[in-house]
């Protein structure tokens, strides 16, 4: 849907023929084509330009386009259902004016989804919030819209290979925890990597038996994360009388950690 300026189309020139017996034909791609180095920038820049054009007609949707998109994925919200409905309507109209048709809508509000066309909805009950389509499958952070809770899905490990420092590093890097909820679990892998460096283990040398056993048990225990369920909503409301941020940190000889959370005091709490 994004056209390229005429003077720049020569930079997207390709040659093609159906068979070696035919003469080579030259084509110029007229739109932004996925796979080119500039495509991610151009796609994002088009959204930002559309937001600038719609700032007067769709002020709230314009703000979402600029601040709540990650490449082609939108993650946003509102303080109540009515506000969310109006925001969704604005977003649909603004993006449609630029030729973009937003799909795979999902929400913890069935009322919001009811106002959207069925063909634009995402029917999945659980959504992967990490890069599930990437070649490397990370520990899956999932969101269940109906219960509005986060869940984790541990990676599928291969038990056919003998653990080495290289394998441990690669597997530890797959633990995806952007919210820090499973920090106490992830830090065990990091401390174990420290120990591998202290032992001067080679990158591709089999680990000592006791270390192999430790890592195999650690990977096995990660499956218990599937039973972890964390509410997404933090309890903030616009009518909050007071919003506090509390932070803690601590350290040991092996690691350090921090925790930050919010505390909301509602007006009716004083009544």
């Amino acid at each position: 849907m994004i056209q390229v300026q005429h003077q720049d189309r020569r930079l997207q020139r390709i040659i093609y023929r159906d068979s070696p017996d035919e003469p080579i034909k030259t084509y110029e791609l007229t739109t932004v084509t996925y796979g080119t180095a500039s495509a991610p920038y151009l796609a994002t820049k088009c959204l930002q330009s559309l937001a600038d054009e719609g700032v007067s007609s769709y002020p709230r949707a314009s703000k979402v386009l600029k601040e709540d998109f990650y490449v082609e994925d939108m993650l946003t919200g509102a303080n109540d259902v009515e506000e969310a409905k109006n925001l969704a309507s604005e977003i649909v109209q603004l993006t449609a004016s630029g030729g973009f048709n937003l799909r795979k809508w999902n929400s913890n509000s069935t009322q919001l989804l009811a106002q959207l066309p069925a063909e634009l909805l995402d029917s999945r009950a659980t959504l992967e919030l990490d890069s599930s389509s990437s070649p490397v499958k990370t520990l899956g952070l999932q969101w269940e819209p109906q219960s509005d809770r986060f869940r984790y899905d541990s990676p599928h490990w291969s038990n056919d290979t003998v653990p080495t420092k290289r394998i441990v590093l690669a597997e530890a890097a797959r633990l995806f925890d952007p919210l820090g909820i499973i920090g106490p679990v992830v830090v065990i892998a990091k401390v174990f990597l420290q120990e591998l460096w202290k032992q001067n283990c080679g990158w591709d040398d089999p680990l000592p038996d006791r270390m192999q056993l430790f890592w195999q048990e650690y990977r096995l225990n990660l499956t218990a994360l599937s039973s972890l369920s964390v509410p997404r909503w933090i309890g903030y409301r616009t009518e909050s009388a007071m919003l506090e941020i509390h932070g803690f940190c601590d350290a040991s000889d092996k690691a350090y950690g921090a925790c930050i959370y919010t505390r909301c005091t509602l007006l009716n709490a004083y009544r």
Side-chain angles (χ1 to χ4, degrees):
M1 297 302 300
I2 306 172
Q3 289 192 342
V4 175
Q5 295 276 7
H6 285 277
Q7 64 269 26
D8 295 327
R9 292 177 183 177
R10 62 184 180 82
L11 301 174
Q12 296 192 142
R13 193 170 289 169
I14 60 175
I15 56 176
Y16 177 80
R17 60 183 176 185
D18 287 320
S19 73
D21 299 328
E22 295 183 358
I24 293 177
K25 298 178 181 179
T26 302
Y27 297 88
E28 288 183 355
L29 301 173
T30 62
T31 61
V32 171
T33 305
Y34 286 108
T36 59
S38 58
Y41 165 79
L42 293 174
T44 301
K45 189 63 177 179
C46 284
L47 282 180
Q48 294 177 351
S49 298
L50 184 59
D52 292 334
E53 293 179 6
V55 68
S56 58
S57 303
Y58 306 101
R60 292 174 296 181
S62 174
K63 189 173 186 293
V64 169
L65 254 63
K66 280 197 168 185
E67 300 178 2
D68 297 344
F69 265 84
Y70 180 72
V71 191
E72 76 276 20
D73 294 324
M74 179 187 73
L75 185 62
T76 191
N79 291 317
D80 55 61
V81 175
E82 214 46 52
E83 182 183 344
K85 286 182 178 180
N86 294 332
L87 179 59
S89 178
E90 273 198 19
I91 293 171
V92 169
Q93 293 178 61
L94 177 56
T95 52
S97 70
F100 303 111
N101 193 18
L102 289 186
R103 294 182 176 273
K104 297 183 179 180
W105 283 82
N106 217 319
S107 171
N108 60 344
S109 169
T110 55
Q111 299 177 54
L112 171 63
L113 296 177
Q115 78 169 16
L116 296 168
E119 63 272 15
L120 299 184
L121 302 182
D122 190 332
S123 59
R124 292 175 296 172
T126 303
L127 304 180
E128 296 282 353
L129 297 184
D130 63 341
S131 303
S132 56
S133 60
S134 64
V136 179
K137 185 66 180 73
T138 56
L139 178 63
L141 176 61
Q142 301 176 335
W143 174 52
E144 293 180 343
Q146 290 188 344
S147 63
D148 206 5
R149 302 177 77 87
F150 288 127
R151 291 186 178 275
Y152 285 90
D153 183 22
S154 60
H156 300 291
W157 308 102
S158 173
N159 295 319
D160 298 332
T161 56
V162 177
T164 65
K165 184 165 75 171
R166 189 185 305 277
I167 291 175
V168 170
L169 179 60
E171 292 179 345
R174 295 171 63 189
L175 302 179
F176 184 75
D177 184 33
L179 302 179
I181 295 174
I182 58 171
V185 175
V186 176
V187 75
I188 295 175
K190 295 181 177 180
V191 171
F192 184 67
L193 281 168
Q194 290 179 351
E195 187 62 26
L196 295 184
W197 254 266
K198 291 178 182 178
Q199 297 294 327
N200 293 319
C201 296
W203 279 106
D204 298 306
D205 296 335
L207 300 183
D209 291 344
R210 65 176 183 85
M211 289 186 159
Q212 287 190 37
L213 180 62
F214 176 88
W215 189 249
Q216 290 166 349
E217 289 183 351
Y218 175 77
R219 293 190 308 187
L220 181 63
N221 290 334
L222 283 178
T223 58
L225 289 174
S226 300
S227 62
L228 180 65
S229 175
V230 181
R232 182 200 60 83
W233 187 57
I234 61 173
Y236 173 74
R237 295 179 181 175
T238 53
E239 66 269 24
S240 296
M242 182 168 56
L243 181 64
E244 301 173 346
I245 296 180
H246 295 255
F248 299 89
C249 62
D250 199 2
S252 69
D253 293 337
K254 296 181 178 180
Y256 64 89
C259 175
I260 298 177
Y261 68 91
T262 59
R263 176 179 181 269
C264 300
T265 304
L266 304 182
L267 285 171
N268 56 15
Y270 293 109
R271 297 172 183 171

